[in-house]
Amino acid sequence: MTALLEARQLTKVFGGGLLNRRRTQALIDFSLRVDTDPPSITAIVGESGSGKTTLARLLLGLIAPTRGEVAYLGKTFQSMSGEERRAFGRDVQVIFQDPYDAYNPFYKVDHVLAKPIKNFRLAASRRHGLQLIEEALEAVGLRPEDTLGRYPHQLSGGQRQRIMVARALLPKPRLIIADEPVSMVDASLRATILGSLRKLNREFGISLLYITHDLTTAYQISQNIIVLYGGSVAEAGDVELVVQQPNHPYTQLLIGSIPSPNPRHRWTARRSPTDAGALAATNGSCRFVARCPYAMPRCRELHPPFFQTDEHRVVACYLHETAQSTSVGAMDEVFVR
Ligand code: SF4
């Protein structure tokens, strides 16, 4: 079966030119496959500098990879016809972190909802367009009478972001790439937005790539998770396995850093150096070596391959060398469907 969206060993290096000689490997050998069926939710988790935003931009065709390629329904961006590019623009929608950025403060919010209707010629008449907008708003739990006709500043951050979810829904996409969609929204409203995203997946059959620094919301919403560190995949697979029994020292560190709501449990975040220069110094070694409490001499020589530790999980760490070593492409084969 042809994949809906496929990333094949994507690598992105910034710099190295005349103006900026310092080379930064933002993403290394990243592969991912999103199938058309069943619709899935995959979380891509990493801290600042992990490569997740670069990945989102590569998947959307906003920047070109240094190596590797992205294919939509088997066609790379370079080989797509104009019509296929338009189909990609309609089928793959994006929700960004800051909902306010998408609005023009001088226009009512109706304007951002009318745009996709016009751009993708979704409605046969004005009345039909309004009906589509109202249906999309209701699908994300907003009442059209409380939303339409207002200016962005008259709505809460949560409402503004839910309008963005409604806008992404309008063209009836097959995939939504949500880049930190709840990070600028009050904690009390996060659950509502996550609920709207989950509804798009379950009721409308839309697959989601949920990009976040927040392991907790990733756990709440996704079936599969990819943990990125320094542009490389540290661990990937079934979200239950990865979060409940993390194998990679970095995933363990991330989970150890989540404060416990139980006051009798002390916060036991394990600290390790976070020197930003550490990454630049890895030079082909394990990307996590400067922060890893278990680092061995060989970790400094070569970045580890993937080891398949469970049916639904791979981990890039020599501590799991007894498990079967496997290829980069195996990452998405371990995903639960
Ligand atoms: Fe740590 Fe080595 Fe595993 Fe990297 S490969 S995470 S440095 S033990």
Side-chain angles (χ1 to χ4, degrees):
M1 185 173 47
T2 309
L4 182 63
L5 188 74
E6 198 172 5
R8 300 175 190 142
Q9 296 192 270
L10 280 182
T11 294
K12 182 67 185 174
V13 180
F14 290 107
L18 278 177
L19 297 176
N20 179 9
R21 290 186 174 210
R22 190 162 169 251
R23 285 165 55 89
T24 307
Q25 287 197 304
L27 197 70
I28 307 159
D29 270 346
F30 181 94
S31 293
L32 170 71
R33 183 186 163 99
V34 180
D35 283 318
T36 39
D37 195 39
S40 57
I41 305 183
T42 302
I44 297 165
V45 180
E47 58 196 9
S48 172
S50 62
K52 55 189 193 311
T53 299
T54 300
L55 173 64
R57 293 171 72 203
L58 286 165
L59 293 178
L60 289 164
L62 301 177
I63 52 172
T66 308
R67 279 195 308 278
E69 57 189 10
V70 177
Y72 178 70
L73 293 174
K75 288 274 185 96
T76 61
F77 290 127
Q78 293 77 13
S79 65
M80 280 180 192
S81 65
E83 186 51 42
E84 285 164 338
R85 273 187 176 263
R86 271 189 294 282
F88 175 83
R90 192 180 55 231
D91 289 355
V92 181
Q93 291 295 305
V94 62
I95 300 168
F96 288 112
Q97 178 176 23
D98 186 355
Y100 210 73
D101 260 6
Y103 295 95
N104 182 329
F106 300 109
Y107 285 112
K108 292 175 180 166
V109 296
D110 313 34
H111 186 70
V112 294
L113 293 162
K115 253 187 173 173
I117 303 263
K118 188 172 164 224
N119 291 351
F120 300 118
R121 299 193 187 115
L122 302 176
S125 64
R126 233 179 134 83
R127 193 186 167 85
H128 183 210
L130 181 61
Q131 185 195 337
L132 293 178
I133 287 173
E134 289 179 352
E135 284 169 5
L137 289 172
E138 281 162 3
V140 300
L142 288 170
R143 285 156 49 106
E145 58 273 31
D146 296 342
T147 316
L148 298 175
R150 307 248 175 157
Y151 287 95
H153 70 269
Q154 294 177 306
L155 299 171
S156 71
Q159 284 172 314
R160 285 196 293 264
Q161 191 60 303
R162 272 196 283 167
I163 292 173
M164 287 296 111
V165 179
R167 185 175 83 153
L169 175 63
L170 273 169
K172 298 197 170 37
R174 301 171 81 174
L175 174 69
I176 291 179
I177 299 178
D179 188 5
E180 300 272 16
V182 294
S183 64
M184 294 186 73
V185 170
D186 284 352
S188 58
L189 296 167
R190 276 181 206 153
T192 327
I193 294 167
L194 292 177
S196 300
L197 291 173
R198 206 181 291 118
K199 186 174 173 187
L200 300 194
N201 171 254
R202 289 197 186 143
E203 294 182 17
F204 296 88
I206 300 169
S207 287
L208 276 159
L209 285 180
Y210 176 70
I211 297 173
T212 183
H213 68 281
D214 180 8
L215 204 54
T216 312
T217 56
Y219 181 56
Q220 282 167 7
I221 195 175
S222 64
Q223 294 130 8
N224 296 301
I225 190 168
I226 298 167
V227 181
L228 275 181
Y229 181 79
S232 244
V233 175
E235 185 164 1
D238 174 13
V239 73
E240 276 299 323
L241 265 180
V242 173
V243 173
Q244 294 296 342
Q245 302 153 41
N247 270 344
H248 195 282
Y250 175 59
T251 323
Q252 290 166 1
L253 183 78
L254 276 184
I255 288 164
S257 303
I258 298 172
S260 166
N262 185 342
R264 281 184 295 183
H265 291 172
R266 291 192 55 214
W267 185 12
T268 54
R270 270 170 285 165
R271 297 280 166 200
S272 68
T274 55
D275 173 16
L279 274 183
T282 50
N283 276 339
S285 61
C286 171
R287 303 288 282 176
F288 193 56
V289 70
R291 295 177 68 182
C292 184
Y294 312 105
M296 304 169 270
R298 64 179 310 194
C299 307
R300 298 180 201 286
E301 288 160 17
L302 193 65
H303 186 80
F306 282 131
F307 298 103
Q308 186 163 358
T309 56
D310 303 88
E311 188 188 351
H312 292 300
R313 185 229 304 258
V314 288
V315 56
C317 173
Y318 287 121
L319 293 174
H320 299 278
E321 203 169 6
T322 47
Q324 188 192 350
S325 167
T326 188
S327 67
V328 167
M331 190 178 80
D332 39 65
E333 284 161 27
V334 300
F335 284 169
V336 287
R337 303 289 177 194

